[in-house]
Amino acid sequence: MHSKEAGQMEVAFIDSHTGGEPTRVVVDAPLDLGTGSLFEKREQFKTQHDPFRRAVCNEPRASDTFVGALLLPPEDEKAVAGVIFFNNVGVLGMCGHGTIGVIRTLQHMGRIGPGTHLLDTPVGQVRTILHEDGRVTVQNVAAHRHQKQVQVEVEGHGTITGDVAYGGNWFFLISDSPVAVEFQHLEKLTEFTCKVREALEKHGISGKDGATIDHIEVFGPSDLANSRNFVLCPGKAYDRSPCGTGTSAKLACLQADGKLQEGEIWKQESIIGSVFEGSYRLQDGQVMPSITGTAFVNMKGVLVLDELDPFCWGILN
Ligand code: PYC
C-alpha cells in the first residue's frame, strides 16, 4: 500500500483470468488480520474488513464475476504464499481457478518459476505444479460426497435430485437438469439454480455440520469434454471457468459411483467452452483431486481508495 494524498490509499493488484473467470490478486493488502492461522485471518477479514472486500470485488471497480485473492505470508515456511479468496458477497474456502490465477501471477511477479509450489489456504495446504507451458495443476484438498441423490422441491421446476459434495466449497450437483446446459440458456440456468439454492436453504439441506451449500452445479453433454457444467457461485454470478472446486466435487461423486478410476482423466467443459482436466488419487481412503488449467495475466495497476468517494467501498450486493 502507498499513501497518495490525505484521505487516499493505493493498493497494488494484478488481474488474470482462468478459462474466462477473473482473479484479482491483492499484492500488498493494508489490513491487520492478526497473527493467527489463515483460517483465523479469514475470520478477521470477514468480520473486520468487509468494506475492503467490496472495494476490491464489487462495482464500480470490478463486477460480480471477480474472485479476489489476498496474498499473505505462508503459514508453513515451505509454502510460497498464503491466500484468502473472496468474491462479491463474502469469503470462499478454496478456489481452483483462483489458485491457478495466483500461481500464474506469482510467476508474472518473478517470485516463482516452473516446478512444484505449496500454497496455504484457510481450508488447508494445496500443492501446485507450474508447467513449462504455463498450465497449472492444483492438487486440491480432499473432496467427498456427503449425500447421494437428495430430492428437493424447487418452485416452478418440481422435484429436483442432486448430490451434496465438498471440493473445497460445498456443492449441490444436478445431472438431470430441466434447463439445457447451453450458453444460450444462461439466464434460465441462473434463474433455475438460484431457486435450487433457495429451496436447499428453505428445506434445511446442508453440507457437513450444517455448512451452507452456496454453489449449485448443473451438468449436460459436451462435444469437447466428458461433460459441460454451469456453476452458480455464491451471489448470482456463474463461473466462466469449469470451477476447480466444483470439478473436484464432481470427481468425488464419480469415484463414489465407481464411474471414474484413480488416475483416469475427466475433462470438464464450462458453459463458455473452457476446459479443465481433472483426475484423483486415493490417499488413506480419501479422494485427492488434481485439476489442470491455464490462466493469463491481463491487467495490473493500483486501486485508489478515496474516502471522499461515496462508492469507495463498493456497491452493496
Ligand atoms: O474454481 O473453485 C473454483 C471457483 C469457485 C468459485 C469460482 N471459481
Side-chain angles (χ1 to χ4, degrees):
M1 179 195 62
H2 321 277
S3 290
K4 182 72 182 151
E5 50 188 75
Q8 281 190 0
M9 259 181 347
E10 292 191 352
V11 180
F13 73 91
I14 301 181
D15 283 357
S16 61
H17 79 89
T18 308
E21 181 76 352
T23 305
R24 171 161 289 171
V25 174
V26 177
V27 176
D28 56 354
L31 308 175
D32 179 4
L33 299 177
T35 54
S37 66
L38 267 178
F39 187 85
E40 288 161 343
K41 285 183 177 159
R42 184 180 66 167
E43 284 312 294
Q44 281 287 320
F45 181 59
K46 187 170 146 184
T47 55
Q48 308 299 318
H49 300 286
D50 205 50
F52 186 82
R53 174 190 64 72
R54 294 198 311 266
V56 174
C57 272
N58 291 22
E59 293 182 17
R61 287 187 197 83
S63 77
D64 288 357
T65 60
F66 271 71
V67 166
L70 279 187
L71 215 50
L72 296 169
E75 270 179 8
D76 173 351
E77 61 183 24
K78 292 193 288 306
V80 64
V83 64
I84 295 173
F85 292 110
F86 51 99
N87 73 358
N88 58 326
V89 292
V91 295
L92 293 167
M94 235 302 276
C95 182
H97 94 267
T99 301
I100 295 170
V102 167
I103 291 297
R104 288 281 278 164
T105 298
L106 290 170
Q107 180 183 29
H108 181 86
M109 292 167 77
R111 281 180 53 176
I112 59 171
T116 299
H117 306 284
L118 301 174
L119 200 62
D120 287 334
T121 82
V123 295
Q125 190 172 73
V126 295
R127 197 162 162 264
T128 68
I129 302 162
L130 173 58
H131 302 274
E132 292 285 347
D133 62 4
R135 285 175 312 127
V136 177
T137 299
V138 181
Q139 296 177 341
N140 197 3
V141 296
H144 69 277
R145 180 163 68 188
H146 179 61
Q147 274 186 291
K148 182 181 174 169
Q149 299 288 280
V150 176
Q151 295 201 319
V152 61
E153 280 307 306
V154 178
E155 191 200 321
H157 296 281
T159 306
I160 297 296
T161 305
D163 288 356
V164 177
Y166 180 79
N169 292 299
W170 282 99
F171 289 82
F172 192 71
L173 300 95
I174 302 165
S175 294
D176 199 6
S177 170
V179 183
V181 183
E182 290 168 4
F183 188 71
Q184 74 254 37
H185 299 311
L186 275 180
E187 279 187 24
K188 283 189 185 153
L189 284 162
T190 302
E191 185 259 359
F192 166 59
T193 49
C194 282
K195 286 204 166 138
V196 172
R197 191 166 54 199
E198 275 164 31
L200 294 174
E201 193 157 344
K202 179 171 160 200
H203 296 286
I205 299 169
S206 62
K208 194 170 166 234
D209 301 328
T212 303
I213 302 171
D214 51 7
H215 292 72
I216 311 295
E217 185 167 11
V218 181
F219 298 90
S222 160
D223 295 332
L224 294 178
N226 296 88
S227 148
R228 180 188 299 140
N229 69 9
F230 170 92
V231 180
L232 179 75
C233 297
K236 284 191 186 145
Y238 69 91
D239 196 334
R240 275 67 175 162
S241 86
C243 192
T245 50
T247 302
S248 300
K250 176 69 176 172
L251 294 173
C253 294
L254 289 165
Q255 188 274 340
D257 287 332
K259 291 184 176 165
L260 189 76
Q261 301 309 309
E262 195 174 1
E264 218 180 306
I265 300 288
W266 176 265
K267 286 192 183 180
Q268 187 63 63
E269 183 191 355
S270 76
I271 193 72
I272 69 158
S274 49
V275 176
F276 282 168
E277 274 191 17
S279 65
Y280 71 88
R281 68 192 165 80
L282 290 172
Q283 185 181 300
D284 304 325
Q286 288 192 303
V287 174
M288 306 301 296
S290 281
I291 306 295
T292 301
T294 314
F296 293 91
V297 168
N298 57 4
M299 204 186 315
K300 55 185 178 175
V302 287
L303 307 176
V304 179
L305 306 178
D306 182 341
E307 65 183 23
L308 293 178
D309 174 359
F311 295 108
C312 175
W313 304 108
I315 299 173
L316 281 175
N317 264 292

